[in-house]
């Protein structure tokens, strides 16, 4: 996420950033140890919905990422 444009964030809840014309959602989770950033690239529908409605449009996605984190890309904090 270092070289990417941060669009929106709520520390320790979610981060939205733009990377090569894609919008990615990152959700930090402390468990399993050592903690992970769960990453998801929004599809076109989600991207357009987010741009129209804001973060509320991604509420269900964020909840799913917290519960079903193993279904997503996981970057370890180590």
């Amino acid at each position: 996420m270092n070289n990417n444009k941060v669009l929106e964030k709520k520390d320790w809840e979610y981060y939205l950033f733009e990377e090569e014309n894609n919008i990615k959602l990152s959700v930090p989770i402390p468990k399993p140890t050592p903690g992970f950033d769960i990453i998801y690239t929004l599809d076109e529908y989600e991207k357009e919905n987010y741009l129209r409605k804001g973060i509320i449009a991604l509420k269900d996605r964020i909840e799913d990422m917290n519960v079903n984190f193993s279904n997503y890309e996981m970057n370890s904090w180590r």
Side-chain angles (χ1 to χ4, degrees):
M1 261 181 10
N2 296 344
N3 295 331
N4 302 317
K5 178 182 173 188
V6 175
L7 301 173
E8 184 174 347
K9 70 178 182 175
K10 186 170 185 182
D11 287 336
W12 296 106
E13 289 191 37
Y14 65 84
Y15 301 84
L16 276 155
F17 57 97
E18 190 170 19
E19 179 182 81
E20 298 178 6
N21 207 27
N22 290 311
I23 296 178
K24 293 194 175 191
L25 174 61
S26 176
V27 175
I29 60 168
K31 293 185 180 179
T33 303
F36 291 86
D37 288 324
I38 309 306
I39 310 291
Y40 173 74
T41 302
L42 275 57
D43 63 28
E44 283 302 312
Y45 173 77
E46 290 168 316
K47 182 178 174 179
E48 303 234 350
N49 211 15
Y50 167 71
L51 293 173
R52 273 189 272 121
K53 297 180 181 178
I55 194 64
I56 194 75
L58 300 175
K59 180 181 170 246
D60 290 341
R61 173 64 67 189
I62 292 170
E63 288 177 18
D64 186 62
M65 291 171 75
N66 278 302
V67 173
N68 299 308
F69 54 84
S70 62
N71 293 338
Y72 296 89
E73 177 185 342
M74 298 173 67
N75 291 334
S76 174
W77 292 349
R78 283 191 190 180

